[in-house]
Amino acid sequence: MSLGRQALARRAVAQLERYAADRQGPALHRSAGFATAILDSDPGKLLTVADAYATAGRPLLEAQAREHAAEALATAGRGQEARTLLDAAQSRYAELDASWDAARADARLRAHGIRRGVRGPRRRAKFGWAALTDTEHRVAALLAEGLSNPDIADRMFVSRRTVQYHVSNILAKLGLSSRVQLALLVARHSD
């Protein structure tokens, strides 16, 4: 955030805090605390806010506060702690079926080198026909028709390099060394 925007945000938060000071509204106070903690990028304050949201029964805001805390920790070079908080936020997002928030959180932390990876059992085999993705099956079928990589790229509206990537993956997953072998295998599977 630019210095000008940060100064403007701080003024807005200060006005909110002044407004909240004379009022009985826990939600208002939590919101002001959350905004201040975000601006300060203070993981301790963000965790305090997350706990307050948890106590108030506001799981989405709790998860968002934990996500901000994770990013603050990652920025400070405290990767393991950041990963732990990201996992806690992701757990809440999963409970709420908040897939967009989960994807955003992963992207924000990925920018700091924090990667969670795929969780749980794998649904697809690693080798063999069952290991191919839907896109790889389509590329394999087009290859079996005798189309070249440029032709497949045009048909699928992707780049030639993307097609080559898929062809390489298909050959590796099937343990094949040529497109001819692949065309024969596709023909056998389509019978």
Side-chain angles (χ1 to χ4, degrees), residues 79-152:
Q80 189 57 43
E81 293 169 89
R83 189 179 324 280
T84 300
L85 283 177
L86 176 60
D87 288 342
Q90 289 293 11
S91 176
R92 279 298 201 198
Y93 289 144
E95 290 170 12
L96 298 168
D97 200 23
S99 57
W100 189 89
D101 291 284
R104 182 201 58 240
D106 279 341
R108 285 177 72 184
L109 275 290
R110 195 176 311 117
H112 296 282
I114 307 294
R115 288 174 173 72
R116 291 182 339 115
V118 178
R119 304 278 187 201
R122 302 297 186 266
R123 295 181 191 142
R124 190 183 321 274
K126 291 186 180 202
F127 300 103
W129 194 254
L132 300 183
T133 66
D134 291 340
T135 302
E136 289 167 345
H137 278 286
R138 186 163 177 224
V139 169
L142 293 172
L143 256 166
E145 289 179 24
L147 295 172
S148 67
N149 284 5
D151 293 335
I152 294 170

Side-chain angles (χ1 to χ4, degrees), residues 1-2 5 10-11 26 28 31 34 38 40 57 59 68 79 86 110 137 146 150 154 158 164 188 190:
M1 180 182 300
S2 71
R5 290 186 74 179
R10 286 199 182 279
R11 281 195 304 270
L28 188 59
S31 295
F34 194 13
I38 290 170
D40 294 343
H68 278 280
L86 176 60
R110 195 176 311 117
H137 278 286
D154 289 342
V158 297
Q164 181 55 48
R188 276 194 303 235
S190 63

Side-chain angles (χ1 to χ4, degrees), residues 32-54:
F34 194 13
T36 300
I38 290 170
L39 284 173
D40 294 343
S41 195
D42 184 324
K45 287 181 185 176
L46 286 161
L47 289 175
T48 299
V49 169
D51 291 342
Y53 279 130

